[in-house]
Amino acid sequence: MEFVKLDLKVLVELHQRGYNVLRSNSSLAEENPTWIPDTIDLDKFLDLDSEQVAKLSVPFDEKHFLIIDQALKYIKDEEFFGVVMVDFTPHIP
């Protein structure tokens, strides 16, 4: 595992590996947040009344998410910031 600069190339690779969100506990004001790839049920997550959102909504815990599909569509490469934890070692069966 290593931390790499978040950019379009990294997001595409994570998307191809099946991840659909990046999550972070870094402050929203932080200039260089740390992101961790994850896979969640987006239908349940985006339902504001869902149990999953309630579990993730801990008071004073600043969790935020970047939905990879949306980021690939709407964010320019130069607008990404922060670092993401990745493991791009090949999976050998």
Side-chain angles (χ1 to χ4, degrees):
M1 298 268 188
E2 64 180 296
F3 287 95
V4 298
K5 183 181 180 313
L6 178 59
D7 62 17
L8 188 59
K9 180 181 173 186
V10 170
L11 267 188
V12 168
E13 177 74 20
L14 291 170
H15 186 261
Q16 290 173 343
R17 289 179 173 251
Y19 295 105
N20 61 0
V21 297
L22 298 180
R23 59 182 169 81
S24 178
N25 287 350
S26 299
S27 167
L28 291 171
E30 190 169 322
E31 290 183 27
N32 196 34
T34 301
W35 299 96
I36 300 170
D38 203 353
T39 303
I40 63 174
D41 183 336
L42 286 175
D43 290 332
K44 287 183 181 177
F45 178 74
L46 295 174
D47 176 7
L48 295 179
D49 292 330
S50 78
E51 185 176 320
Q52 187 171 4
V53 170
K55 286 180 183 176
L56 294 172
S57 300
V58 178
F60 307 112
D61 193 11
E62 224 180 329
K63 292 182 183 173
H64 43 282
F65 295 84
L66 178 66
I67 299 172
I68 292 176
D69 278 340
Q70 296 296 311
L72 291 172
K73 288 179 187 174
Y74 302 113
I75 300 176
K76 296 176 186 172
D77 196 29
E78 63 270 10
E79 295 175 331
F80 290 112
F81 57 95
V83 294
V84 60
M85 184 177 67
V86 296
D87 180 4
F88 286 153
T89 56
H91 294 90
I92 300 171

Coordinates of all heavy atoms in Angstrom, one line a residue:
M1 N 0.8 -1.2 0.0 CA 0.0 0.0 0.0 C 0.9 1.2 0.0 O 1.9 1.3 0.6 CB -0.9 0.1 1.2 CG -1.9 -1.1 1.4 SD -3.4 -0.6 0.6 CE -4.4 -2.0 1.1
E2 N 0.4 2.2 -0.7 CA 1.1 3.5 -0.7 C 0.1 4.6 -1.0 O -1.0 4.4 -1.4 CB 2.2 3.5 -1.8 CG 1.7 3.4 -3.2 CD 2.7 3.4 -4.3 OE1 3.4 4.4 -4.4 OE2 2.8 2.3 -5.0
F3 N 0.6 5.8 -0.7 CA -0.2 7.0 -1.0 C 0.3 7.7 -2.3 O 1.5 7.9 -2.4 CB -0.2 8.0 0.2 CG -1.0 7.5 1.4 CD1 -0.4 6.9 2.4 CD2 -2.3 7.8 1.4 CE1 -1.1 6.5 3.5 CE2 -3.1 7.3 2.5 CZ -2.4 6.7 3.6
V4 N -0.7 7.9 -3.2 CA -0.3 8.6 -4.4 C -1.2 9.8 -4.6 O -2.3 9.9 -4.1 CB -0.4 7.7 -5.7 CG1 0.6 6.5 -5.5 CG2 -1.8 7.2 -5.9
K5 N -0.7 10.8 -5.4 CA -1.5 12.0 -5.7 C -2.8 11.6 -6.4 O -2.8 10.8 -7.3 CB -0.7 12.9 -6.6 CG -1.4 14.2 -6.8 CD -0.6 15.1 -7.7 CE -1.3 16.4 -8.0 NZ -2.6 16.4 -8.5
L6 N -3.9 12.1 -6.0 CA -5.2 11.8 -6.6 C -5.3 12.5 -7.9 O -5.1 13.8 -8.0 CB -6.4 12.3 -5.7 CG -7.8 12.1 -6.3 CD1 -8.1 10.7 -6.6 CD2 -8.8 12.7 -5.3
D7 N -5.5 11.8 -9.0 CA -5.7 12.4 -10.3 C -6.6 11.5 -11.1 O -7.0 10.4 -10.7 CB -4.3 12.6 -11.0 CG -3.5 11.4 -11.3 OD1 -4.1 10.3 -11.2 OD2 -2.3 11.5 -11.6
L8 N -6.9 11.9 -12.3 CA -7.8 11.2 -13.2 C -7.3 9.8 -13.5 O -8.1 8.8 -13.4 CB -8.0 12.0 -14.5 CG -9.1 11.5 -15.5 CD1 -10.4 11.5 -14.8 CD2 -9.1 12.3 -16.7
K9 N -6.1 9.6 -13.7 CA -5.5 8.3 -14.0 C -5.7 7.3 -12.9 O -6.2 6.2 -13.1 CB -4.0 8.4 -14.3 CG -3.4 7.1 -14.7 CD -1.9 7.3 -14.9 CE -1.2 5.9 -15.1 NZ 0.3 6.1 -15.2
V10 N -5.5 7.8 -11.6 CA -5.7 6.9 -10.5 C -7.2 6.6 -10.3 O -7.5 5.4 -10.0 CB -5.2 7.6 -9.2 CG1 -5.6 6.9 -7.9 CG2 -3.6 7.7 -9.3
L11 N -8.1 7.6 -10.5 CA -9.5 7.3 -10.4 C -10.0 6.3 -11.4 O -10.8 5.4 -11.1 CB -10.3 8.6 -10.6 CG -10.7 9.4 -9.4 CD1 -11.6 10.5 -9.7 CD2 -11.3 8.6 -8.3
V12 N -9.5 6.4 -12.6 CA -9.9 5.4 -13.7 C -9.4 4.0 -13.2 O -10.2 3.0 -13.3 CB -9.3 5.8 -15.0 CG1 -9.4 4.6 -16.0 CG2 -10.0 7.0 -15.6
E13 N -8.2 3.9 -12.7 CA -7.7 2.6 -12.3 C -8.5 2.0 -11.1 O -8.9 0.8 -11.1 CB -6.2 2.7 -11.9 CG -5.6 1.5 -11.3 CD -5.3 0.4 -12.4 OE1 -5.2 0.8 -13.6 OE2 -5.2 -0.8 -12.0
L14 N -8.9 2.9 -10.2 CA -9.7 2.4 -9.1 C -11.1 2.0 -9.5 O -11.6 1.0 -9.1 CB -9.8 3.5 -8.0 CG -8.5 3.8 -7.2 CD1 -8.7 5.1 -6.4 CD2 -8.1 2.6 -6.4
H15 N -11.7 2.7 -10.5 CA -13.0 2.4 -11.0 C -12.9 1.0 -11.7 O -13.8 0.2 -11.6 CB -13.4 3.5 -12.0 CG -14.8 3.3 -12.5 ND1 -15.0 2.8 -13.7 CD2 -16.0 3.6 -12.0 CE1 -16.3 2.7 -13.9 NE2 -16.9 3.2 -12.9
Q16 N -11.9 0.8 -12.5 CA -11.7 -0.5 -13.2 C -11.5 -1.6 -12.2 O -11.9 -2.8 -12.5 CB -10.5 -0.4 -14.1 CG -10.7 0.5 -15.3 CD -9.5 0.7 -16.2 OE1 -8.4 0.4 -15.8 NE2 -9.7 1.2 -17.4
R17 N -11.0 -1.3 -11.0 CA -10.9 -2.4 -10.0 C -12.1 -2.6 -9.2 O -12.1 -3.4 -8.2 CB -9.7 -2.1 -9.1 CG -8.3 -2.2 -9.8 CD -7.2 -1.9 -9.0 NE -5.9 -2.2 -9.6 CZ -5.1 -3.2 -9.3 NH1 -5.4 -3.9 -8.3 NH2 -4.0 -3.4 -10.0
G18 N -13.2 -1.9 -9.5 CA -14.5 -2.1 -8.8 C -14.8 -1.1 -7.7 O -15.9 -1.3 -7.1
Y19 N -14.0 -0.2 -7.4 CA -14.3 0.8 -6.4 C -15.3 1.8 -6.9 O -15.2 2.2 -8.1 CB -13.0 1.5 -5.9 CG -12.0 0.6 -5.2 CD1 -10.9 0.2 -5.8 CD2 -12.3 0.2 -3.9 CE1 -10.0 -0.7 -5.2 CE2 -11.4 -0.7 -3.2 CZ -10.3 -1.1 -3.9 OH -9.4 -1.9 -3.2
N20 N -16.2 2.3 -6.1 CA -17.1 3.3 -6.6 C -17.1 4.6 -5.8 O -17.8 5.6 -6.2 CB -18.5 2.7 -6.7 CG -19.1 2.3 -5.4 OD1 -18.5 2.3 -4.3 ND2 -20.3 1.8 -5.4
V21 N -16.4 4.7 -4.6 CA -16.3 5.9 -3.9 C -14.9 6.0 -3.3 O -14.2 5.0 -3.1 CB -17.3 6.0 -2.7 CG1 -18.7 6.0 -3.2 CG2 -17.1 4.9 -1.7
L22 N -14.5 7.2 -3.0 CA -13.4 7.5 -2.1 C -14.0 8.1 -0.8 O -14.8 8.9 -0.9 CB -12.4 8.5 -2.8 CG -11.7 8.1 -4.1 CD1 -10.8 9.2 -4.5 CD2 -11.0 6.8 -3.9
R23 N -13.5 7.7 0.3 CA -14.0 8.3 1.6 C -12.8 8.9 2.3 O -11.6 8.5 2.1 CB -14.6 7.2 2.4 CG -13.8 6.0 2.8 CD -14.6 5.0 3.6 NE -13.9 3.8 3.7 CZ -12.9 3.6 4.6 NH1 -12.6 4.5 5.5 NH2 -12.3 2.4 4.7
S24 N -13.1 9.9 3.1 CA -12.1 10.6 3.8 C -12.6 11.1 5.2 O -13.7 11.4 5.3 CB -11.6 11.8 3.0 OG -10.6 12.5 3.7
N25 N -11.7 11.1 6.1 CA -12.0 11.7 7.4 C -11.2 13.0 7.6 O -11.2 13.6 8.7 CB -11.6 10.7 8.6 CG -12.5 9.6 8.7 OD1 -13.6 9.5 8.1 ND2 -12.2 8.6 9.5
S26 N -10.5 13.4 6.6 CA -9.8 14.6 6.6 C -10.7 15.8 6.7 O -11.9 15.7 6.2 CB -8.9 14.8 5.4 OG -7.9 13.8 5.3
S27 N -10.3 16.9 7.3 CA -11.1 18.1 7.3 C -11.5 18.6 5.9 O -10.7 18.5 5.0 CB -10.4 19.2 8.1 OG -11.0 20.4 7.9
L28 N -12.7 19.1 5.8 CA -13.1 19.6 4.5 C -12.3 20.8 4.0 O -12.2 21.1 2.9 CB -14.6 20.0 4.5 CG -15.6 18.8 4.6 CD1 -17.0 19.3 4.8 CD2 -15.5 17.9 3.4
A29 N -11.6 21.5 5.0 CA -10.8 22.6 4.7 C -9.3 22.2 4.4 O -8.6 23.1 4.0 CB -10.9 23.6 5.8
E30 N -9.0 21.0 4.6 CA -7.6 20.6 4.4 C -7.2 20.7 3.0 O -7.9 20.3 2.1 CB -7.4 19.1 5.0 CG -6.0 18.7 5.0 CD -5.8 17.4 5.8 OE1 -6.5 17.2 6.8 OE2 -5.0 16.6 5.4
E31 N -6.0 21.2 2.8 CA -5.5 21.4 1.4 C -5.1 20.0 0.8 O -5.1 19.9 -0.5 CB -4.3 22.3 1.4 CG -4.7 23.7 1.7 CD -3.6 24.7 1.6 OE1 -2.6 24.4 0.8 OE2 -3.6 25.7 2.3
N32 N -4.7 19.1 1.5 CA -4.2 17.8 1.0 C -4.9 16.6 1.8 O -4.2 15.9 2.5 CB -2.7 17.7 1.1 CG -2.1 16.6 0.3 OD1 -2.6 16.4 -0.8 ND2 -1.0 16.0 0.7
P33 N -6.2 16.4 1.5 CA -6.9 15.4 2.3 C -6.4 14.0 1.8 O -5.8 13.8 0.8 CB -8.3 15.6 1.9 CG -8.3 16.2 0.5 CD -7.0 17.1 0.6
T34 N -6.6 13.0 2.7 CA -6.3 11.6 2.5 C -7.6 10.9 2.1 O -8.6 11.0 2.9 CB -5.6 11.0 3.7 OG1 -4.5 11.7 4.0 CG2 -5.3 9.5 3.5
W35 N -7.6 10.2 1.0 CA -8.7 9.4 0.5 C -8.4 7.9 0.6 O -7.3 7.5 0.4 CB -9.0 9.8 -0.9 CG -9.4 11.2 -1.1 CD1 -8.6 12.2 -1.5 CD2 -10.7 11.8 -0.9 NE1 -9.3 13.4 -1.6 CE2 -10.6 13.2 -1.2 CE3 -11.9 11.3 -0.5 CZ2 -11.6 14.1 -1.2 CZ3 -13.0 12.2 -0.5 CH2 -12.8 13.6 -0.8
I36 N -9.5 7.1 0.9 CA -9.4 5.7 0.9 C -10.5 5.1 -0.1 O -11.6 5.5 0.1 CB -9.6 5.1 2.3 CG1 -8.5 5.7 3.2 CG2 -9.6 3.6 2.3 CD1 -8.7 5.4 4.7
P37 N -10.1 4.3 -1.0 CA -11.1 3.7 -1.9 C -12.0 2.7 -1.2 O -11.6 2.1 -0.3 CB -10.2 3.0 -3.0 CG -8.8 3.2 -2.7 CD -8.7 3.9 -1.3
D38 N -13.2 2.7 -1.6 CA -14.2 1.8 -1.0 C -15.3 1.5 -2.0 O -15.4 2.1 -3.1 CB -14.8 2.5 0.2 CG -15.4 1.6 1.2 OD1 -15.4 0.4 1.0 OD2 -15.8 2.1 2.3
T39 N -16.0 0.4 -1.7 CA -17.2 0.0 -2.5 C -18.4 0.0 -1.6 O -18.3 -0.7 -0.6 CB -16.9 -1.4 -3.1 OG1 -15.7 -1.3 -3.9 CG2 -18.1 -1.7 -4.1
I40 N -19.4 0.8 -1.9 CA -20.6 0.8 -1.1 C -21.8 0.7 -2.0 O -21.7 0.8 -3.3 CB -20.7 2.1 -0.3 CG1 -20.8 3.3 -1.2 CG2 -19.6 2.2 0.7 CD1 -21.1 4.6 -0.4
D41 N -23.0 0.3 -1.5 CA -24.2 0.3 -2.3 C -24.7 1.7 -2.4 O -25.3 2.3 -1.5 CB -25.2 -0.5 -1.5 CG -26.6 -0.7 -2.3 OD1 -26.9 0.1 -3.1 OD2 -27.3 -1.7 -2.0
L42 N -24.4 2.3 -3.6 CA -24.8 3.7 -3.8 C -26.3 4.0 -3.7 O -26.7 5.1 -3.3 CB -24.2 4.2 -5.1 CG -22.7 4.4 -5.1 CD1 -22.2 4.8 -6.5 CD2 -22.3 5.5 -4.2
D43 N -27.1 3.1 -4.2 CA -28.5 3.3 -4.1 C -29.0 3.5 -2.7 O -29.7 4.4 -2.4 CB -29.3 2.1 -4.7 CG -29.2 2.0 -6.2 OD1 -28.9 3.1 -6.9 OD2 -29.2 0.9 -6.8
K44 N -28.5 2.6 -1.8 CA -28.8 2.8 -0.3 C -28.2 4.0 0.2 O -28.8 4.8 1.0 CB -28.4 1.6 0.4 CG -29.2 0.4 0.2 CD -28.8 -0.8 1.1 CE -29.6 -2.0 0.8 NZ -29.2 -3.2 1.6
F45 N -26.9 4.3 -0.2 CA -26.2 5.4 0.4 C -26.9 6.8 0.0 O -27.0 7.7 0.8 CB -24.8 5.4 -0.1 CG -24.0 6.6 0.4 CD1 -23.5 6.7 1.7 CD2 -23.6 7.6 -0.5 CE1 -22.8 7.8 2.1 CE2 -22.9 8.7 -0.1 CZ -22.5 8.8 1.2
L46 N -27.3 6.8 -1.2 CA -27.9 8.1 -1.7 C -29.4 8.3 -1.2 O -29.9 9.4 -1.4 CB -27.8 8.2 -3.2 CG -26.4 8.2 -3.8 CD1 -26.4 8.1 -5.3 CD2 -25.7 9.5 -3.3
D47 N -30.0 7.3 -0.6 CA -31.3 7.4 0.0 C -31.1 8.0 1.4 O -30.6 7.4 2.3 CB -31.9 6.0 0.1 CG -33.3 6.1 0.8 OD1 -33.8 7.2 1.1 OD2 -33.8 5.0 1.1
L48 N -31.4 9.3 1.5 CA -31.1 10.1 2.7 C -31.7 9.5 4.0 O -31.3 9.8 5.1 CB -31.5 11.5 2.5 CG -30.7 12.3 1.5 CD1 -31.2 13.7 1.3 CD2 -29.2 12.2 1.7
D49 N -32.7 8.7 3.8 CA -33.4 8.1 5.0 C -32.8 6.7 5.3 O -33.3 6.0 6.2 CB -34.9 7.9 4.8 CG -35.6 9.3 4.8 OD1 -35.0 10.2 5.5 OD2 -36.6 9.4 4.1
S50 N -31.7 6.3 4.6 CA -31.2 4.9 4.8 C -30.5 4.7 6.1 O -29.9 5.6 6.7 CB -30.3 4.6 3.6 OG -29.1 5.1 3.8
E51 N -30.5 3.4 6.5 CA -29.7 3.0 7.7 C -28.2 3.2 7.4 O -27.5 3.6 8.4 CB -30.0 1.6 8.0 CG -29.4 1.1 9.3 CD -29.9 -0.4 9.6 OE1 -31.0 -0.7 9.3 OE2 -29.0 -1.1 10.0
Q52 N -27.8 3.0 6.2 CA -26.3 3.1 5.9 C -25.9 4.6 6.2 O -24.8 4.8 6.7 CB -26.0 2.7 4.5 CG -24.6 2.7 4.2 CD -24.3 2.0 2.8 OE1 -25.2 1.7 2.1 NE2 -23.0 1.9 2.5
V53 N -26.7 5.6 5.7 CA -26.3 7.0 6.0 C -26.3 7.2 7.5 O -25.4 7.9 8.0 CB -27.3 7.9 5.2 CG1 -27.0 9.3 5.7 CG2 -27.1 7.8 3.7
A54 N -27.2 6.7 8.2 CA -27.3 6.9 9.6 C -26.0 6.4 10.3 O -25.5 7.0 11.2 CB -28.5 6.3 10.2
K55 N -25.6 5.2 9.9 CA -24.4 4.6 10.5 C -23.1 5.5 10.2 O -22.2 5.5 11.0 CB -24.2 3.2 9.9 CG -25.1 2.2 10.5 CD -24.8 0.8 9.8 CE -25.8 -0.2 10.3 NZ -25.6 -1.5 9.7
L56 N -23.1 6.1 9.0 CA -22.0 6.9 8.6 C -22.0 8.3 9.2 O -21.0 9.0 9.2 CB -21.9 7.0 7.1 CG -21.6 5.6 6.4 CD1 -21.7 5.8 4.9 CD2 -20.2 5.1 6.8
S57 N -23.2 8.7 9.7 CA -23.4 10.1 10.2 C -23.2 10.1 11.7 O -24.1 10.2 12.5 CB -24.8 10.6 9.8 OG -24.9 10.6 8.4
V58 N -21.9 10.1 12.1 CA -21.6 10.1 13.5 C -21.3 11.6 13.9 O -20.5 12.2 13.2 CB -20.3 9.2 13.8 CG1 -19.9 9.3 15.2 CG2 -20.6 7.8 13.4
P59 N -21.9 12.1 14.9 CA -21.7 13.5 15.3 C -20.2 13.8 15.5 O -19.5 13.0 16.0 CB -22.5 13.7 16.6 CG -23.5 12.6 16.5 CD -22.9 11.5 15.8
F60 N -19.8 14.9 15.0 CA -18.4 15.4 15.1 C -17.4 14.5 14.3 O -16.2 14.7 14.4 CB -18.0 15.5 16.5 CG -18.9 16.3 17.4 CD1 -19.7 15.7 18.3 CD2 -19.0 17.7 17.1 CE1 -20.6 16.5 19.1 CE2 -19.9 18.4 17.9 CZ -20.7 17.8 18.9
D61 N -17.9 13.6 13.5 CA -17.0 12.8 12.7 C -17.1 13.3 11.2 O -18.2 13.1 10.6 CB -17.4 11.3 12.8 CG -16.3 10.4 12.2 OD1 -15.2 10.9 11.9 OD2 -16.6 9.2 12.1
E62 N -16.1 13.9 10.7 CA -16.2 14.6 9.4 C -15.9 13.6 8.3 O -14.9 13.8 7.6 CB -15.2 15.7 9.4 CG -15.7 17.0 8.8 CD -14.7 18.1 8.8 OE1 -13.9 18.1 9.7 OE2 -14.8 18.9 8.0
K63 N -16.8 12.7 8.0 CA -16.6 11.8 6.9 C -17.2 12.4 5.7 O -18.2 13.0 5.7 CB -17.3 10.4 7.2 CG -16.7 9.6 8.2 CD -17.4 8.3 8.4 CE -16.8 7.5 9.6 NZ -17.5 6.3 9.9
H64 N -16.4 12.3 4.6 CA -17.0 12.8 3.3 C -16.6 11.8 2.2 O -15.6 11.0 2.4 CB -16.7 14.2 3.0 CG -15.3 14.6 3.3 ND1 -14.8 14.9 4.5 CD2 -14.2 14.8 2.4 CE1 -13.5 15.2 4.5 NE2 -13.1 15.2 3.2
F65 N -17.4 11.9 1.1 CA -17.2 10.9 0.1 C -17.1 11.6 -1.3 O -17.7 12.6 -1.5 CB -18.5 10.0 0.0 CG -18.6 9.1 1.3 CD1 -19.2 9.6 2.4 CD2 -18.1 7.8 1.3 CE1 -19.3 8.8 3.5 CE2 -18.2 7.0 2.4 CZ -18.8 7.5 3.5
L66 N -16.4 10.9 -2.2 CA -16.3 11.3 -3.6 C -16.7 10.2 -4.4 O -16.1 9.1 -4.3 CB -14.8 11.7 -3.9 CG -14.6 12.1 -5.4 CD1 -15.3 13.4 -5.7 CD2 -13.1 12.2 -5.6
I67 N -17.9 10.3 -5.1 CA -18.4 9.2 -5.9 C -17.6 9.2 -7.2 O -17.6 10.2 -7.9 CB -19.9 9.4 -6.1 CG1 -20.7 9.4 -4.8 CG2 -20.4 8.3 -7.1 CD1 -22.1 9.8 -4.9
I68 N -16.9 8.1 -7.4 CA -16.0 8.0 -8.5 C -16.6 8.3 -9.9 O -16.1 9.0 -10.7 CB -15.2 6.7 -8.5 CG1 -14.3 6.7 -7.3 CG2 -14.4 6.5 -9.8 CD1 -13.6 5.3 -7.1
D69 N -17.8 7.7 -10.2 CA -18.5 7.9 -11.5 C -18.7 9.4 -11.7 O -18.5 9.9 -12.8 CB -19.8 7.2 -11.5 CG -19.7 5.7 -11.9 OD1 -18.6 5.3 -12.5 OD2 -20.6 4.9 -11.7
Q70 N -19.2 10.1 -10.6 CA -19.5 11.5 -10.8 C -18.2 12.3 -11.0 O -18.2 13.3 -11.8 CB -20.3 12.0 -9.5 CG -21.6 11.4 -9.3 CD -22.6 11.7 -10.5 OE1 -22.7 12.9 -10.8 NE2 -23.2 10.7 -11.0
A71 N -17.2 11.9 -10.2 CA -15.9 12.7 -10.4 C -15.3 12.5 -11.8 O -14.8 13.5 -12.4 CB -14.9 12.1 -9.3
L72 N -15.5 11.3 -12.3 CA -14.9 11.1 -13.7 C -15.7 11.9 -14.7 O -15.1 12.3 -15.7 CB -15.0 9.6 -14.1 CG -14.0 8.7 -13.3 CD1 -14.3 7.2 -13.6 CD2 -12.6 9.0 -13.6
K73 N -17.0 12.1 -14.5 CA -17.8 12.9 -15.4 C -17.7 14.4 -15.3 O -17.7 15.1 -16.3 CB -19.3 12.5 -15.2 CG -19.7 11.2 -15.7 CD -21.2 10.9 -15.4 CE -21.5 9.5 -15.7 NZ -22.9 9.2 -15.4
Y74 N -17.5 14.9 -14.1 CA -17.7 16.3 -13.8 C -16.5 17.1 -13.3 O -16.5 18.3 -13.2 CB -18.9 16.5 -12.9 CG -20.2 16.0 -13.4 CD1 -20.8 14.9 -12.8 CD2 -20.7 16.5 -14.6 CE1 -22.0 14.4 -13.3 CE2 -21.9 16.0 -15.1 CZ -22.5 14.9 -14.4 OH -23.7 14.4 -15.0
I75 N -15.4 16.4 -12.9 CA -14.3 17.1 -12.4 C -13.1 17.0 -13.3 O -12.8 15.9 -13.8 CB -13.9 16.5 -11.0 CG1 -15.1 16.6 -10.0 CG2 -12.7 17.2 -10.4 CD1 -14.9 16.0 -8.7
K76 N -12.5 18.1 -13.6 CA -11.3 18.1 -14.4 C -10.1 17.6 -13.7 O -10.0 17.8 -12.5 CB -11.0 19.6 -14.9 CG -12.1 20.1 -15.8 CD -11.9 21.6 -16.1 CE -13.1 22.2 -16.9 NZ -12.9 23.6 -17.1
D77 N -9.1 17.0 -14.4 CA -7.9 16.5 -13.8 C -7.2 17.5 -12.9 O -6.8 17.1 -11.8 CB -7.0 15.9 -14.8 CG -6.0 15.0 -14.3 OD1 -6.2 14.3 -13.2 OD2 -4.9 14.9 -14.8
E78 N -7.1 18.7 -13.3 CA -6.4 19.7 -12.5 C -7.1 20.1 -11.2 O -6.6 20.8 -10.4 CB -6.0 20.9 -13.4 CG -7.2 21.7 -13.9 CD -7.7 21.2 -15.3 OE1 -7.2 20.1 -15.8 OE2 -8.5 21.9 -15.8
E79 N -8.4 19.7 -11.1 CA -9.2 20.1 -9.9 C -9.1 19.1 -8.8 O -9.6 19.3 -7.7 CB -10.7 20.3 -10.4 CG -10.9 21.4 -11.3 CD -12.3 21.6 -11.8 OE1 -13.0 20.5 -11.9 OE2 -12.7 22.7 -12.1
F80 N -8.5 17.9 -9.1 CA -8.4 16.9 -8.0 C -7.3 17.3 -7.0 O -6.3 18.0 -7.4 CB -8.0 15.5 -8.6 CG -9.1 14.9 -9.4 CD1 -9.1 14.7 -10.7 CD2 -10.3 14.4 -8.7 CE1 -10.1 14.1 -11.4 CE2 -11.3 13.8 -9.4 CZ -11.2 13.7 -10.7
F81 N -7.5 17.0 -5.8 CA -6.5 17.3 -4.8 C -6.5 16.3 -3.7 O -7.4 15.5 -3.5 CB -6.7 18.7 -4.2 CG -8.0 18.9 -3.5 CD1 -8.2 18.7 -2.2 CD2 -9.1 19.3 -4.3 CE1 -9.4 18.9 -1.6 CE2 -10.4 19.5 -3.7 CZ -10.5 19.3 -2.4
G82 N -5.3 16.1 -3.0 CA -5.2 15.1 -2.0 C -4.4 13.9 -2.5 O -4.0 13.9 -3.6
V83 N -4.3 13.0 -1.5 CA -3.7 11.7 -1.8 C -4.6 10.6 -1.6 O -5.5 10.7 -0.7 CB -2.4 11.5 -1.0 CG1 -1.3 12.6 -1.4 CG2 -2.6 11.6 0.5
V84 N -4.4 9.5 -2.3 CA -5.3 8.3 -2.1 C -4.4 7.1 -1.8 O -3.3 6.9 -2.4 CB -6.2 8.1 -3.4 CG1 -5.4 7.9 -4.6 CG2 -7.2 7.0 -3.2
M85 N -4.9 6.3 -0.9 CA -4.2 5.0 -0.5 C -4.5 4.0 -1.6 O -5.7 3.7 -1.8 CB -4.6 4.5 0.9 CG -3.9 3.3 1.3 SD -4.4 2.8 3.0 CE -6.0 2.3 2.7
V86 N -3.5 3.4 -2.2 CA -3.7 2.5 -3.3 C -2.9 1.2 -3.1 O -1.8 1.3 -2.4 CB -3.5 3.1 -4.7 CG1 -4.4 4.2 -5.0 CG2 -2.0 3.5 -4.8
D87 N -3.3 0.2 -3.7 CA -2.5 -1.1 -3.7 C -2.7 -1.5 -5.2 O -3.7 -2.2 -5.5 CB -3.0 -2.1 -2.8 CG -2.2 -3.4 -2.8 OD1 -1.2 -3.5 -3.6 OD2 -2.6 -4.4 -2.1
F88 N -1.8 -1.2 -6.0 CA -1.9 -1.5 -7.4 C -1.0 -2.7 -7.8 O -0.7 -3.0 -8.9 CB -1.5 -0.3 -8.3 CG -2.5 0.8 -8.4 CD1 -2.1 2.1 -8.6 CD2 -3.8 0.5 -8.2 CE1 -3.1 3.1 -8.7 CE2 -4.8 1.5 -8.3 CZ -4.4 2.8 -8.5
T89 N -0.7 -3.5 -6.8 CA 0.1 -4.7 -7.1 C -0.8 -5.7 -7.8 O -2.0 -5.8 -7.5 CB 0.6 -5.4 -5.8 OG1 -0.5 -5.6 -4.9 CG2 1.7 -4.5 -5.1
P90 N -0.3 -6.4 -8.8 CA -1.1 -7.3 -9.6 C -1.7 -8.5 -8.7 O -1.0 -8.9 -7.8 CB -0.2 -7.9 -10.6 CG 1.0 -7.1 -10.6 CD 1.1 -6.3 -9.3
H91 N -2.9 -8.8 -8.9 CA -3.5 -10.0 -8.2 C -3.1 -11.2 -9.0 O -3.6 -11.5 -10.1 CB -5.0 -9.8 -8.1 CG -5.3 -8.6 -7.2 ND1 -5.5 -7.4 -7.7 CD2 -5.5 -8.5 -5.9 CE1 -5.8 -6.6 -6.7 NE2 -5.8 -7.2 -5.6
I92 N -2.3 -12.1 -8.4 CA -1.9 -13.3 -9.1 C -2.7 -14.4 -8.5 O -2.6 -14.7 -7.2 CB -0.4 -13.5 -8.9 CG1 0.4 -12.4 -9.4 CG2 0.1 -14.8 -9.5 CD1 1.9 -12.3 -9.1
P93 N -3.4 -15.2 -9.3 CA -4.2 -16.3 -8.8 C -3.4 -17.4 -8.3 O -2.3 -17.6 -8.6 CB -5.1 -16.7 -10.0 CG -4.6 -15.9 -11.2 CD -3.6 -15.0 -10.7

